């Protein structure tokens, strides 16, 4: 399930991100890569634990928890502290799969990666190339979103970032351990929640909404790992 979530960050928050990143000291992005990913990864990254990383990470985590669509799609148990990368001309990240387990540099957070997420911090007209390409059973999906928009997708998906041919691309990336580890069940709950929201708008007060809401929460109760 690939979900596009619009306007996670507003213009003021994006401006703050740009300001902080302009003064930051970037390092080789392979610092967080696994053995296989290290061979195909070519980008820059903000060091974990730095002032900019911590400030912007807190901003993003707060924004995520204010997003009903993110909560519905991810059903988050734990969100990994957001990381930040930069791709300049000639840089890219070849086809890879994210590690199943991620641990923060300070050891304070350790999660199973059920969902991967990329929050775009550069607008599409600022660079050529740089598309996030996600593989699934229906083929390849090329993703290049406005600044402030988020894409979430199953962490077991093979994916890549196409090489940059002009300009630069800055983004935040992170992972989510969901209350619902099984992606099929997570998709069912997402679709059921969306249907309940739509019916609430279209036929408010319909008695069937109580039954549907009860079904949603009973499935969540049965399937969740807390």
């Amino acid at each position: 399930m690939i979900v596009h979530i619009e306007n996670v960050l507003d213009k003021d928050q994006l401006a703050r991100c740009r300001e902080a990143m302009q003064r930051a000291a970037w390092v080789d992005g392979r610092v967080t890569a696994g053995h296989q990913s290290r061979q195909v990864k070519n980008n820059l990254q903000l060091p974990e634990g730095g002032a900019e990383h911590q400030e912007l990470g807190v901003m993003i985590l707060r924004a995520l928890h204010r997003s009903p669509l993110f909560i519905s799609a991810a059903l988050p148990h734990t969100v990994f502290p957001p990381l930040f990368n930069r791709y300049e001309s000639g840089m890219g990240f070849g086809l890879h799969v994210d590690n199943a387990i991620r641990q923060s540099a300070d050891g304070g957070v350790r999660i199973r990666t059920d969902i991967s997420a990329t929050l775009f911090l550069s607008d599409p007209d600022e660079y050529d190339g740089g598309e996030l390409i996600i593989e699934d059973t229906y083929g390849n999906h090329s993703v290049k979103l406005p600044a402030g928009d988020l894409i979430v997708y199953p962490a077991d998906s093979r994916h890549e970032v196409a090489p940059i041919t002009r300009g630069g691309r800055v983004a935040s990336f992170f992972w989510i351990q969901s209350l619902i580890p099984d992606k099929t069940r997570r998709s069912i709950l997402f679709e059921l929640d969306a249907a309940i929201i739509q019916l609430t708008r279209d036929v408010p007060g319909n008695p069937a909404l109580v039954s549907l809401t009860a079904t949603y929460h009973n499935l969540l109760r049965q399937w969740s790992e807390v």
Side-chain angles (χ1 to χ4, degrees):
M1 182 175 70
I2 301 174
V3 180
H4 173 192
I5 302 170
E6 298 179 343
N7 301 317
V8 171
L9 296 184
D10 61 28
K11 291 182 179 179
D12 291 339
Q13 291 169 321
L14 289 168
R16 180 58 189 148
C17 286
R18 291 173 183 269
E19 178 188 351
M21 289 179 176
Q22 284 176 353
R23 68 166 186 266
W26 296 81
V27 298
D28 190 327
R30 286 175 292 186
V31 67
T32 59
H35 173 71
Q36 184 271 330
S37 296
R38 188 181 301 271
Q39 302 174 52
V40 295
K41 187 175 187 180
N42 179 19
N43 64 10
L44 301 172
Q45 191 166 310
L46 283 186
E48 289 185 70
E52 295 85 4
H53 170 256
Q54 292 183 346
E55 176 194 349
L56 301 182
V58 169
M59 176 196 298
I60 290 171
L61 289 174
R62 289 175 176 168
L64 292 173
H65 290 291
R66 291 194 298 268
S67 169
L69 183 55
F70 171 75
I71 299 299
S72 180
L75 291 170
H77 177 284
T78 305
V79 180
F80 194 86
L83 302 174
F84 300 86
N85 58 25
R86 189 174 85 198
Y87 292 84
E88 298 176 344
S89 184
M91 293 183 174
F93 195 166
L95 192 64
H96 65 284
V97 175
D98 291 338
N99 291 350
I101 304 296
R102 299 293 312 201
Q103 182 164 308
S104 59
D106 62 6
V109 179
R110 186 169 184 264
I111 69 165
R112 179 191 63 242
T113 58
D114 298 320
I115 299 168
S116 295
T118 296
L119 176 61
F120 288 76
L121 301 176
S122 300
D123 278 314
D125 61 2
E126 297 182 63
Y127 59 98
D128 292 332
E131 296 86 357
L132 172 64
I133 302 170
I134 305 166
E135 290 187 4
D136 68 10
T137 55
Y138 299 100
N140 290 348
H141 303 270
S142 181
V143 182
K144 192 172 183 178
L145 302 181
D149 284 14
L150 175 74
I151 193 79
V152 295
Y153 57 98
D156 60 359
S157 303
R158 298 200 303 176
H159 57 281
E160 61 185 306
V161 176
I164 295 286
T165 59
R166 178 191 64 86
R169 170 194 189 267
V170 181
S172 176
F173 63 104
F174 50 93
W175 301 271
I176 302 102
Q177 179 172 321
S178 179
L179 292 166
I180 309 296
D182 184 88
K183 61 185 178 183
T184 300
R185 290 177 172 178
R186 198 163 56 242
S187 179
I188 290 170
L189 287 169
F190 177 64
E191 292 176 3
L192 180 55
D193 190 33
I196 291 169
I197 292 169
Q198 183 65 47
L199 286 171
T200 300
R201 285 197 293 260
D202 294 347
V203 285
N206 191 300
L209 284 167
V210 176
S211 297
L212 287 172
T213 303
T215 298
Y216 174 87
H217 284 284
N218 288 335
L219 288 173
L220 182 61
R221 185 177 293 110
Q222 181 176 359
W223 292 342
S224 64
E225 294 184 6
V226 180

